[in-house]
């Protein structure tokens, strides 16, 4: 009986030991942060020391990288290194660039007057420039192979070197360029324009784009280059587009010296895609315009070309919002398709006599200030007879109010509140 009791105690102690062991943390951990950035654009990663045992007197390490993916720019001491000696910089810090990476060696105090207690410390900030194409991923890791003599990756505690746990970082090379499908809105039956905009840090020689839409809601009317893309030597839609597909290819210059390019810049419109909203579409409805892996036959995919480099830029989908708004002409208060003195008089009768009730009050809000008052007929009279400014859009042709939501609508549409 006693023997069974002792065996039970032993099993319990073994279980407790296992649990405690599983919860034990590494005394010292060196880690590199992750980062992402575009080709040719500087980025930074940080070196951290997690000390779970304290008494750190110094450290040394090497950081290796792939020279075909990253170019080392430099490194600066982190906040912990600059305050390690009781709030002052460490007595000795040396950072060197070597083939394949960089090294760092630090002694906090030559006379052991200061150590780092337990905590998390930022030791170094390292800068790189990605030189590989977008889509490349690379590891940046601690190593003990750099320098002459070789710099080993260690943490110094009580005068002895300890090998810390080492956690590598990952750098993803991403495109610094954006391609954005915009948004448009309108009621069923209206044709709307959707912009496609480009943000690029480099001039662009050519671009091809592929996206899709819901043919039950939208019908493609036209696809046209705009802005600087109007100067393209070549623009075409691919053959074999299926219903619900949009694609185009654009080359800015096809003759030497090939110096005609889309300029670098932010949010430059390069395309206007026009869609007719199905007359039977039920508002409210959001119909997505989404980039696709490819469209057409043979397949065409989205690609950005600059010189000998091509890449997939960051893609942002768009949409067409189907809304219950009615088109109108601003200033056409009497709804006779003409803006003249009669509209000003109609407005006055509505405001002060109460015998006229316009079907589209938004058209009577001539100055588009979201109020119906005497300023509106005055705006019409001023435009007609005194050389005043014309009414804001939609004018002189019918369209959707570009400033919806003020509670003044037409024919009981969604903006009538």
């Amino acid at each position: 009986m006693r023997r069974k009791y002792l065996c039970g105690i032993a099993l319990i102690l073994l279980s407790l030991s296992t649990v405690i062991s599983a919860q034990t943390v590494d005394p010292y951990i060196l880690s590199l942060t992750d980062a992402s950035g575009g080709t040719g654009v500087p980025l930074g990663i940080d070196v951290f020391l997690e000390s779970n045992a304290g008494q750190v007197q110094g450290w040394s390490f090497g950081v290796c990288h792939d020279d075909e993916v990253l170019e080392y720019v430099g490194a600066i001491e982190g906040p912990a290194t600059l305050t390690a000696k009781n709030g002052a910089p460490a007595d000795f810090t040396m950072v060197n660039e070597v083939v394949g990476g960089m090294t760092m060696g630090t002694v906090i105090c030559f006379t052991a007057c200061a150590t780092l207690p337990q905590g998390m410390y930022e030791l170094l900030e390292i800068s790189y420039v990605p030189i590989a194409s977008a889509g490349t991923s690379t590891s940046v890791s601690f190593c003990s192979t750099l320098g002459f003599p070789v710099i080993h990756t260690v943490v110094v505690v009580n005068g002895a070197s300890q090998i810390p746990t080492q956690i590598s970082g990952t750098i993803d090379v991403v495109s610094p360029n954006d391609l954005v499908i915009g948004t448009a809105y309108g009621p069923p039956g209206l044709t709307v324009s959707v912009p496609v905009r480009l943000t690029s840090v480099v001039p662009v020689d050519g671009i091809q784009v592929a996206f899709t839409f819901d043919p039950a809601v939208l019908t493609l009317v036209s696809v046209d280059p705009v802005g600087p893309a109007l100067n393209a030597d070549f623009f075409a839609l691919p053959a074999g587009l299926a219903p619900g597909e949009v694609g185009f290819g654009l080359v800015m210059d096809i003759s030497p010296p090939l110096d005609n390019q889309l300029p670098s810049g932010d949010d430059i419109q390069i395309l206007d895609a026009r869609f007719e909203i199905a007359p039977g579409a039920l508002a409210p409805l959001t119909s997505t315009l989404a980039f696709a892996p490819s469209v057409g036959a043979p397949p065409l995919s989205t690609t950005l070309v600059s010189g000998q480099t091509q890449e997939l830029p960051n893609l942002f989908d768009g949409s067409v919002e189907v809304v219950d708004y009615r088109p109108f002409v601003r200033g056409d208060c009497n709804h006779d398709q003409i803006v003249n003195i009669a509209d000003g008089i109609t407005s006055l009768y509505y405001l002060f006599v109460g015998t006229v009730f316009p079907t589209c009050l938004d058209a009577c809000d001539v100055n588009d200030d979201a109020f119906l008052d005497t300023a509106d007929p005055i705006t019409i009279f001023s435009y007609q007879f005194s050389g005043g400014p014309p009414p804001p859009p939609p004018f002189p042709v019918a369209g959707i109010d570009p400033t919806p939501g003020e509670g003044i609508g037409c024919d009981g549409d969604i903006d009538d509140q």
Side-chain angles (χ1 to χ4, degrees):
M1 185 74 177
R2 178 179 174 82
R3 186 172 182 178
K4 289 183 179 180
Y5 175 78
L6 292 175
C7 287
I9 294 293
L11 287 173
I12 293 173
L13 291 174
L14 179 61
S15 299
L16 288 174
S17 175
T18 302
V19 171
I20 294 172
S21 176
Q23 294 178 343
T24 300
V25 296
D26 297 331
Y28 304 102
I29 303 171
L30 278 175
S31 61
L32 291 159
T33 58
D34 300 328
S36 63
T39 303
V41 181
L43 57 81
I45 65 172
D46 299 320
V47 180
F48 281 93
L49 168 64
E50 180 182 347
S51 174
N52 296 306
Q55 308 304 312
V56 174
Q57 297 171 304
W59 56 83
S60 66
F61 56 79
V63 176
C64 291
H65 67 269
D66 187 342
D67 284 329
E68 295 185 356
V69 180
L70 300 174
E71 178 182 320
Y72 174 79
V73 175
I76 60 174
E77 297 172 34
T81 309
L82 294 172
T83 59
K85 185 182 176 182
N86 301 318
D91 278 351
F92 172 85
T93 295
M94 181 65 71
V95 177
N96 288 322
E97 177 183 3
V98 295
V99 176
M102 55 77 56
T103 62
M104 180 184 192
T106 298
V107 177
I108 294 177
C109 179
F110 288 129
T111 61
C113 63
T115 61
L116 289 182
Q118 293 182 356
M120 180 72 76
Y121 301 98
E122 184 180 353
L123 307 182
L124 194 69
E125 301 171 10
I126 310 174
S127 296
Y128 299 97
V129 171
I131 55 177
S133 59
T136 303
S137 183
T138 187
S139 177
V140 180
S141 57
F142 293 103
C143 52
S144 296
T145 58
L146 302 176
F148 184 80
V150 169
I151 301 298
H152 294 278
T153 299
V154 297
V155 174
V156 180
V157 180
N158 295 324
S161 297
Q162 297 197 25
I163 298 177
T165 300
Q166 298 160 40
I167 301 175
S168 300
T170 299
I171 293 180
D172 296 316
V173 186
V174 299
S175 174
N177 308 312
D178 297 337
L179 195 60
V180 180
I181 303 174
T183 59
Y185 71 95
L190 189 73
T191 297
V192 296
S193 294
V194 178
V196 175
R197 295 187 173 91
L198 172 67
T199 293
S200 176
V201 299
V202 295
V204 173
D205 294 293
I207 185 172
Q208 58 186 35
V209 173
F211 65 94
T212 59
F213 62 92
D214 185 351
V217 178
L218 304 173
T219 299
L220 182 64
V221 176
S222 62
V223 179
D224 299 296
V226 297
L230 283 171
N231 298 321
D233 281 352
F234 173 83
F235 178 83
L237 275 64
L241 284 176
E245 293 184 338
V246 181
F248 72 89
L250 179 148
V251 180
M252 291 302 295
D253 207 339
I254 60 176
S255 302
L258 304 179
D259 56 356
N260 183 29
Q261 298 173 301
L262 290 172
S264 59
D266 295 333
D267 207 31
I268 299 173
Q269 185 176 353
I270 60 170
L271 186 80
D272 177 57
R274 293 175 60 80
F275 296 91
E276 180 186 1
I277 301 174
L282 298 178
L285 172 66
T286 299
S287 188
T288 301
L289 308 175
F291 285 100
S294 66
V295 297
L300 176 145
S301 58
T302 300
T303 303
L304 194 68
V305 181
S306 178
Q308 300 301 308
T309 301
Q310 64 174 332
E311 67 175 46
L312 177 66
N314 304 308
L315 304 177
F316 298 89
D317 295 339
S319 65
V320 172
E321 305 288 334
V322 183
V323 296
D324 186 20
Y325 293 121
R326 304 288 186 266
F328 65 93
V329 177
R330 193 172 302 281
D332 183 20
C333 192
N334 64 0
H335 204 53
D336 66 356
Q337 312 303 313
I338 302 171
V339 177
N340 57 20
I341 191 174
D343 297 296
I345 293 173
T346 297
S347 179
L348 290 172
Y349 267 83
Y350 168 72
L351 290 171
F352 299 107
V353 181
T355 58
V356 174
F357 300 95
T359 58
C360 182
L361 293 180
D362 218 348
C364 301
D365 181 18
V366 186
N367 60 4
D368 195 22
D369 65 355
F371 294 98
L372 297 177
D373 51 32
T374 54
D376 298 304
I378 290 174
T379 299
I380 291 179
F381 299 146
S382 175
Y383 168 64
Q384 287 285 313
F385 302 107
S386 303
F395 179 88
V397 297
I400 302 299
D401 187 0
T403 55
E406 77 273 69
I408 302 176
C410 293
D411 300 321
D413 68 14
I414 196 171
D415 221 19
D416 259 341
Q417 299 176 1

